[in-house]
Amino acid sequence: MRLAPEKPPETRPPTGGDSARPERFSAYSNRLSWTGVIVGIVLRTVQYLSNRSLWLDEAYLAQNLLARNAAQLLQQLDDSQVAPIGFLWPVKGCISLLGGTEYALRLVPFLAAIASLLLFHRLARRILSREAVPIAVGIFAISEPLLFYAAELKQYSTDVFWAVALISLMVSWWERPRRGRVGLLLLATGALAIFSSHPAIFVLAGFAVYCLAVGFRRKDGYLIRSALLVGSVWATLFLAQFVLLLRVDHSSGFFQEFWSGRLMPFPPTSVDDVEWFLRTFLEVFVDPVGLSHGALSGLVFLAGCIAFGARKHQLALLLAPIPVALLASGLESYPFATRFLLFLAPTFILVLAEGTLLFAGLLGARSRILAVVFGLLMFLQPTVNIVARIPLEREEIRPVIEHLAENLNPDDRIYAYWGAGPALTYYADRFGIEMDEVTVGRYEVRPQRGEFSKDLAQYRKGDRVWVVFSHFGPEGPGDHRFVLLNLVRDRGEELSRFEATGASAHYFEFSSDPAGQGR
């Protein structure tokens, strides 16, 4: 059976893209868009080569990858980590070839980020107005979340790659449905994506459901059968992966606690539930898209939906994954927020580009100054942020551990706050630290003096202890580091400290025993 109906779903190619009339894609827009691609590649390369320290989540996943062989990676991962096998195996291959360095661990996400940028540029040229292409590529190139996860040992960058690849094939198939090879390629790519990206199923399901809806509306039997065919194949593969590979331990309640506020209220039963939709809609444009003004971006996005006009099927293919992801969120199976939605960033950016063009045209007709102000409001702050902050940092614990190792005395002891434990474990061998002699604190959601006091009860008068921190939350009177350091200072003197971005080491000499205890 062919994977396409005999009659094309659209009778003419899209009016905004250059796939039908490449000559209309102006040289100026072409140069601007390729400039955006080059800038994006340079920024991602700088971010990757900066070789920042592994932070908590990366270190957790690194421990799984370094300690297990390929077959063992099929089992449930330790430390509440979840990643598709189509991501884990390529990273494991890099480790086998290049060792367990940060560069090797992050190579797959980096290459996926470069490929995503190139595919996104091609997709933008296919479906957008020619003047909107440089806008879309520019936003994609400087998006802080996309840049950050381009050099992050997590699967979110590869999620973006698979989403852009699938949508590109879907658009290509929709424009020329009689090309059976495109349909077969889409079927095969979708099958591979299911095992390589968890949110890929939202893209695939949205496509299949939309094709069915259009098929039934048009009474198009070929379209219905084609959608049922690919949908059933993808659904079968997803169920197999879900049953055999996607093992998540919910018994601890960690995920429910971590995802609190990130799940769609289903069904919405209060004003707060309704507000969740508006708040989430606006937050999407800040993270994962990377713009600064959620409300303004939301208006521009809605304008972009209008600007697509006759290209309604392409717009539908872009937006189709969103209700599926929302449904999964309402069923408490997938958080609808921040990095978990990075795969949707290309969709929002493409629509925003058309909306930006529409807004700029309307404002420019009244006043060029208004158009310039609008452009500055939309893009100035994200651009300045990237220029000022690249390479992006998070928790620079490696120089902290190096300082500790260089200044560690034979009788010194080490206490690692729980958030520093995984990264300290990863770097311990490199800097000659014996983890058997390190005490790692217990995980606590909220700072509790009593729990921290129990951790410190092992230390006596005269003990010299290095207290190591990272991933301790926003600085202030309520953060874990503030609470724990005050407890230690109540019992001793801080002799020295070493601080880096998001991490620190404090050297103490205890001058008293725990309350009620002596030597």
Side-chain angles (χ1 to χ4, degrees), residues 134-151:
I135 300 172
V137 174
I139 299 173
F140 195 94
I142 67 168
S143 166
E144 184 173 324
L146 290 172
L147 277 173
F148 183 82
Y149 289 107

Side-chain angles (χ1 to χ4, degrees), residues 50-73:
S50 70
N51 197 31
R52 61 184 174 82
S53 304
L54 293 190
W55 72 287
L56 178 77
D57 276 7
E58 289 184 293
Y60 274 141
L61 191 54
Q63 290 177 32
N64 281 279
L65 287 159
L66 294 170
R68 299 177 180 222
N69 59 35
Q72 291 169 333
L73 289 173

Side-chain angles (χ1 to χ4, degrees), residues 88-386:
L88 295 172
W89 277 353
V91 176
K92 186 65 177 179
C94 291
I95 294 172
S96 300
L97 293 173
L98 305 172
T101 66
E102 296 93 326
Y103 285 127
L105 292 168
R106 293 170 173 152
L107 182 59
V108 170
F110 170 67
L111 295 177
I114 300 298
S116 299
L117 181 58
L118 296 172
L119 283 175
F120 180 83
H121 175 236
R122 186 173 183 273
L123 176 61
R125 292 185 59 170
R126 178 181 290 274
I127 69 173
L128 296 182
S129 306
R130 63 181 182 271
E131 297 88 351
V133 174
I135 300 172
V137 174
I139 299 173
F140 195 94
I142 67 168
S143 166
E144 184 173 324
L146 290 172
L147 277 173
F148 183 82
Y149 289 107
E152 169 94 346
L153 178 57
K154 297 294 284 186
Q155 64 268 30
Y156 307 116
S157 180
T158 53
D159 288 344
V160 175
F161 166 78
W162 287 110
V164 176
L166 289 172
I167 292 173
S168 297
L169 286 172
M170 291 169 183
V171 169
S172 179
W173 178 86
W174 197 274
E175 290 176 359
R176 297 182 180 181
R178 295 186 180 183
R179 294 171 60 187
R181 286 184 298 179
V182 176
L184 290 174
L185 182 59
L186 175 57
L187 176 64
T189 303
L192 184 60
I194 287 170
F195 293 93
S196 303
S197 169
H198 291 147
I201 191 61
F202 304 146
V203 181
L204 298 171
F207 171 76
V209 170
Y210 181 70
C211 288
L212 278 176
V214 174
F216 280 116
R217 182 172 62 83
R218 293 178 174 175
K219 299 180 180 179
D220 189 328
Y222 280 95
L223 183 57
I224 294 171
R225 285 192 289 272
S226 295
L228 288 174
L229 173 61
V230 296
S232 60
V233 171
W234 292 334
T236 301
L237 292 175
F238 172 74
L239 289 174
Q241 184 218 202
F242 186 84
V243 172
L244 299 176
L245 299 178
L246 191 57
R247 299 186 178 93
V248 182
D249 180 14
H250 291 279
S251 60
S252 65
F254 172 82
F255 284 101
Q256 288 82 350
E257 180 184 330
F258 179 71
W259 290 354
S260 177
R262 297 174 171 89
L263 300 173
M264 181 186 78
F266 186 70
T269 57
S270 67
V271 174
D272 288 343
D273 290 347
V274 175
E275 288 179 350
W276 181 93
F277 290 91
L278 176 60
R279 183 176 67 253
T280 301
F281 173 70
L282 299 181
E283 288 174 352
V284 161
F285 299 106
V286 178
D287 189 3
V289 173
L291 298 177
S292 302
H293 302 287
L296 177 60
S297 299
L299 290 174
V300 174
F301 176 83
L302 296 176
C305 292
I306 297 171
F308 260 81
R311 293 164 288 162
K312 60 182 181 180
H313 292 297
Q314 292 179 335
L315 178 63
L317 293 176
L318 290 175
L319 301 181
I322 297 176
V324 184
L326 278 170
L327 178 61
S329 178
L331 297 175
E332 300 187 356
S333 298
Y334 195 84
F336 198 87
T338 61
R339 62 188 181 274
F340 302 103
L341 299 182
L342 197 68
F343 78 100
L344 289 176
T347 286
F348 286 106
I349 290 172
L350 288 166
V351 180
L352 277 167
E354 286 288 3
T356 300
L357 191 63
L358 177 60
F359 256 81
L362 293 174
L363 293 172
R366 293 177 174 270
S367 168
R368 290 186 178 181
I369 295 178
L370 287 177
V372 171
V373 170
F374 165 71
L376 291 175
L377 286 173
M378 284 290 291
F379 308 121
L380 179 61
Q381 187 173 340
T383 303
V384 170
N385 287 345
I386 290 301

